Amino acid sequence: MTVRNRRPFFYLAVAVICILLVLPVITFMINAFAFRWFYPQFIPAEWSLQAWERLQLIPPEGERTLTNWLALLGSSDVIDALVVSLVIGVGVTLFSVVIGLPAARALGMHKFRGKRIVEFMILAPTIVPSIAFVLGLNINFIRWELSGSLFGVALVHLVPVMPYVVLTLSGVFANYNPDFEDQARTLGAGPLRTFWYVTLPAIFPGIVVAALFAFLVSWSQYLLTFLIGAGRVITLPILLFASASGGNNAVIAVMSLIFIAPAILTLLVTSRYLSGESGAVGGFGRI
Amino acid sequence: MTHVILSNLTKSFPGNPVAAVNTMNLDIPSGQLVAFLGPSGCGKTTTLKMIAGLITPTVGDITFDGASVLAVPPEKRGAVMVFQNYLLFPYMSVGQNVGFGLKMRGVEPKVIDRKVIEMLDLVKLPNIANRRPRQLSGGQQQRVALARALITEPKVLLLDEPLSNLDAHLRDEMRELILSIQRNLGVTMIFVTHDQEEAVLLANQIALIFDGVLQQYAAPDVFYRQPISERAARFFGGINFVPATRRGERLETAFGAFHVRTPGVENAPEGEVTLTIRPEQVVLNPADDENCTSGRIRSRIYVGTYTRYKIMIGDIEIEATRSGDIDHALNEGDAVRVGFPADRIWVVGRS
Ligand SMILES: Nc1ncnc2c1ncn2[C@@H]1O[C@H](COP(=O)(O)OP(=O)(O)OP(=O)(O)O)[C@@H](O)[C@H]1O
Ligand SMILES: [Mg+2]
């Protein structure tokens, strides 16, 4: 396709993305700080932080002392849920990348019997709806006393997370030349230092992208957390769903903002690894 | 300065019934420059990687100065390999690449910096330590890779097709460089090539390998005078092959009987054999009549420094070359006496 042909599609895509993604965020922003916002007004007439105060994210007006700010840490459900979501998200990310690396290396670099089957099994969770397996899984999780625990929830998050991690990393390994490792070995680097100085720099962009996927997939899990968490593991999506039915627009908007903030932050921090030149997603379609 | 011995070295890859390297026995004296020569896929790289410790042999042993190194991991073995495609680490500067081996050995940064400069001087690339590998030409990258290997003062230097990615001019330069380094440092060197000319130009000894099996291990000139088989002779440019029956010094062919007295022929096969002689050893219209037969010149091609004749003897074609100026007494269609000197004829088994 020539550049000239691509232009209209490009602008159309940008417009669609803006309408679908950016506009709702702006609405949330306005809602979160609005006092009242009714139909004919283009922007609210009055602003306030009332929703933030109600969710105990900031102390009430006139009481914003350091002690009161610190006191929020223990008393706010939203902050608690944020911490739980972060702990699970980071844990799932680290663990999925560590176990995903050898799997992706094998899939990306080697041919072996039954490879197609292994690939299918790893991809299956992206096709099979989670409700289909989580109910059966839950029976066992209850038996093993994993139900209702942070660890249990993190474990079940691995199911939808692993396909993304393995897929991304195996794309990286498909373009990877293992001779570099051999070269480092004969020059005097042991296996660990070979990984550190040679393998890791080569696959780092891929790891960043895989970690990003892992974190975001874990971060936005509702159903799996709801069922395996058994009401005892309250992550942000659980809290968000609960309050979404409450009906206060400003509160919903604040929680939504807090929910999407880490996603946008991680995207911004890692965006340079997503771009074409690093090749992190270059082999994505290969598997 | 390390004496390398391969004994019964064998490597079979899983799923492949034919061994990539089969029962290889090779003695590489200290400080020698040895070429592994053979067509693509004959197991040269596999052998090199086994010596480096990157591939574990299925059977057999490798010793450095008499001690087996099979249990020694590659990073401790002291056999440094330079790969065909250089493999400079793209995330490091040229200087960091060259200094990598010393860094892994825990050498002080100041000492590393000094040695890096020395090494880059040695390969005639001063003042490029701060550049990135991708900013260098292929020939420069190759020399950086060589410097990176040499800086660790390897016991054995393994070069996989060191000249194959270079153009003709750089090839000559690189060849000179390898030879001078080998002479000055006296390091045992093994290099891989599929080009017999390159092997002849560089090596003290050539190991000719076909299909994972060592065919012949000898000094370069031996491959021209005393090839082990028709295939070996052909690999070195031999083209005259005549079926013969041998009894001692006597060879019967379709166009007459010949005597053979070339040194070493005692050990060559008897009975149904193939007579071979290099084109430059065939004598046209010789003075004496021993080992002579009659033929007819089919074509004459003047190549500048020599002339190439194709001669039909019965229905067998023989090629002969004559150096020097063109000889206008020998023209296409002329009858000619063809001499095979008894001390130049060689005999290989019938294939
Ligand atoms: N890792 C491997 N797994 C399976 N077979 C292999 C492997 N490495 C090499 N082989 C096979 O072993 C044989 C020898 O390969 P090798 O790379 O040593 O050849 P080579 O002489 O270096 O060839 P070239 O001149 O093309 O580099 C080939 O038939 C190759 O297919
Ligand atoms: Mg090879």
Side-chain angles (χ1 to χ4, degrees):
Chain A
M1 219 187 262
T2 67
V3 174
R4 191 149 34 101
N5 281 341
R6 226 170 64 186
R7 275 282 153 85
F9 289 106
F10 178 73
Y11 288 123
L12 190 70
V14 169
V16 168
I17 286 171
C18 280
I19 291 167
L20 288 180
L21 297 178
V22 181
L23 222 55
V25 176
I26 292 173
T27 328
F28 279 141
M29 290 279 218
I30 297 174
N31 255 318
F33 298 99
F35 183 62
R36 286 197 197 90
W37 190 19
F38 296 119
Y39 164 64
Q41 299 169 338
F42 184 65
I43 52 164
E46 283 179 82
W47 301 90
S48 91
L49 291 170
Q50 53 148 1
W52 299 82
E53 287 170 10
R54 249 179 70 187
L55 288 169
Q56 289 179 284
L57 289 166
I58 55 176
E61 187 142 25
E63 295 171 35
R64 289 182 187 148
T65 62
L66 184 63
T67 30
N68 280 343
W69 275 104
L70 289 176
L72 293 177
L73 285 181
S75 61
S76 164
D77 288 346
V78 178
I79 292 178
D80 285 351
L82 189 73
V83 171
V84 169
S85 272
L86 276 177
V87 167
I88 293 175
V90 170
V92 167
T93 302
L94 290 179
F95 195 65
S96 65
V97 169
V98 168
I99 59 175
L101 272 177
R105 190 182 171 111
L107 282 176
M109 285 171 41
H110 302 290
K111 289 196 179 76
F112 51 88
R113 285 180 60 157
K115 181 173 168 178
R116 291 258 136 226
I117 296 170
V118 173
E119 276 176 9
F120 178 75
M121 300 280 275
I122 287 174
L123 289 179
T126 58
I127 308 161
V128 180
S130 38
I131 191 83
F133 63 84
V134 74
L135 293 177
L137 211 58
N138 201 16
I139 297 169
N140 287 313
F141 270 45
I142 290 170
R143 189 180 305 149
W144 299 327
E145 295 177 7
L146 289 168
S147 191
S149 71
L150 271 188
F151 182 68
V153 171
L155 213 54
V156 82
H157 278 193
L158 285 175
V159 177
V161 163
M162 287 317 293
Y164 292 97
V165 171
V166 174
L167 218 60
T168 312
L169 290 178
S170 65
V172 175
F173 278 113
N175 303 323
Y176 175 77
N177 181 359
D179 282 349
F180 276 107
E181 291 172 11
D182 280 350
Q183 178 68 82
R185 291 296 297 276
T186 76
L187 287 169
L192 271 182
R193 285 199 286 183
T194 298
F195 180 78
W196 181 253
Y197 286 109
V198 176
T199 314
L200 200 58
I203 63 173
F204 188 70
I207 289 186
V208 170
V209 174
L212 176 74
F213 278 130
F215 183 78
L216 292 182
V217 170
S218 163
W219 183 259
S220 52
Q221 280 306 311
Y222 171 72
L223 190 68
L224 294 180
T225 316
F226 180 73
L227 288 168
I228 299 294
R232 272 170 283 163
V233 178
I234 310 295
T235 59
L236 266 184
I238 301 279
L239 209 60
L240 186 63
F241 271 58
S243 60
S245 47
N248 183 323
N249 275 353
V251 167
I252 297 170
V254 170
M255 291 191 50
S256 300
L257 273 188
I258 289 174
F259 180 66
I260 60 172
I264 291 178
L265 267 178
T266 38
L267 258 177
L268 287 180
V269 171
T270 57
S271 61
R272 71 192 185 96
Y273 295 107
L274 280 166
S275 69
E277 205 201 329
S278 73
V281 286
F284 197 55
R286 279 204 183 195
I287 194 170
Chain B
M1 298 295 260
T2 303
H3 181 183
V4 179
I5 296 176
L6 315 181
S7 24
N8 296 325
L9 201 63
T10 301
K11 178 68 194 181
S12 310
F13 287 105
N16 191 344
V18 184
V21 177
N22 198 344
T23 332
M24 176 115 45
N25 287 291
L26 210 54
D27 185 319
I28 300 167
S30 178
Q32 289 272 310
L33 181 45
V34 169
F36 286 177
L37 175 65
S40 183
C42 73
K44 304 177 298 278
T45 302
T46 306
T47 310
L48 221 54
K49 284 190 170 180
M50 283 196 278
I51 298 172
L54 299 169
I55 291 181
T56 314
T58 318
V59 180
D61 199 6
I62 302 167
T63 62
F64 287 3
D65 289 333
S68 172
V69 292
L70 283 193
V72 184
E75 64 270 22
K76 302 234 167 69
R77 213 175 262 201
V80 178
M81 187 152 162
V82 177
F83 288 74
Q84 186 175 352
N85 37 358
Y86 332 131
L87 300 181
L88 299 183
F89 303 126
Y91 309 94
M92 301 179 194
S93 69
V94 168
Q96 285 169 325
N97 263 285
V98 176
F100 184 81
L102 294 184
K103 186 173 168 183
M104 293 302 113
R105 283 162 181 76
V107 176
E108 256 181 87
K110 254 196 287 173
V111 180
I112 296 181
D113 289 348
R114 206 190 63 230
K115 289 224 169 183
V116 165
I117 290 170
E118 276 175 31
M119 272 304 146
L120 287 174
D121 280 348
L122 184 74
V123 297
K124 305 197 178 67
L125 283 176
N127 307 322
I128 64 154
N130 292 325
R131 295 233 222 130
R132 292 272 144 184
R134 64 167 177 278
Q135 297 172 309
L136 306 182
S137 71
Q140 288 173 322
Q141 290 189 36
Q142 179 72 283
R143 278 183 282 168
V144 172
L146 195 61
R148 179 174 66 174
L150 286 170
I151 203 169
T152 63
E153 294 172 17
K155 290 179 179 164
V156 185
L157 186 61
L158 307 167
L159 306 169
D160 196 354
E161 312 228 5
L163 308 179
S164 67
N165 281 356
L166 307 178
D167 59 40
H169 167 70
L170 282 171
R171 253 163 200 257
D172 290 344
E173 218 171 81
M174 192 71 191
R175 188 183 296 135
E176 289 303 312
L177 184 67
I178 290 175
L179 278 175
S180 81
I181 285 169
Q182 207 269 338
R183 244 180 260 122
N184 295 338
L185 307 183
V187 58
T188 308
M189 271 195 204
I190 304 170
F191 79 100
V192 160
T193 177
H194 53 249
D195 178 355
Q196 45 90 15
E197 205 181 312
E198 199 171 293
V200 170
L201 279 168
L202 270 173
N204 304 122
Q205 296 276 311
I206 296 173
L208 183 66
I209 305 168
F210 291 150
D211 308 321
V213 180
L214 179 67
Q215 307 289 315
Q216 193 168 6
Y217 179 50
D221 59 314
V222 175
F223 289 86
Y224 291 90
R225 285 185 285 109
Q226 308 169 340
I228 192 81
S229 64
E230 183 175 333
R231 198 172 167 201
R234 282 189 190 278
F235 204 83
F236 280 81
I239 44 170
N240 296 327
F241 299 96
V242 181
T245 310
R246 177 182 175 200
R247 261 171 225 93
E249 277 194 10
R250 206 177 146 74
L251 280 170
E252 305 269 2
T253 73
F255 49 71
F258 299 92
H259 286 105
V260 54
R261 288 188 290 269
T262 309
V265 84
E266 320 71 80
N267 302 319
E270 296 251 350
E272 299 295 293
V273 296
T274 298
L275 176 161
T276 180
I277 184 163
R278 295 200 65 86
E280 60 272 22
Q281 307 292 359
V282 177
V283 189
L284 299 181
N285 292 334
D288 80 74
D289 225 30
E290 202 215 349
N291 270 4
C292 242
T293 186
S294 295
R296 189 164 295 279
I297 296 176
R298 206 180 104 174
S299 72
R300 182 184 73 187
I301 300 161
Y302 178 61
V303 191
T305 51
Y306 66 95
T307 311
R308 188 189 298 148
Y309 297 92
K310 290 204 160 99
I311 298 152
M312 295 308 291
I313 307 173
D315 55 358
I316 294 171
E317 189 184 272
I318 291 288
E319 198 173 301
T321 57
R322 265 196 165 186
S323 60
D325 292 337
I326 197 160
D327 183 347
H328 290 285
L330 293 168
N331 296 309
E332 262 174 45
D334 288 358
V336 68
R337 295 286 288 164
V338 185
F340 299 131
D343 58 350
R344 299 295 182 194
I345 295 177
W346 186 247
V347 175
V348 294
R350 186 81 61 86
S351 51

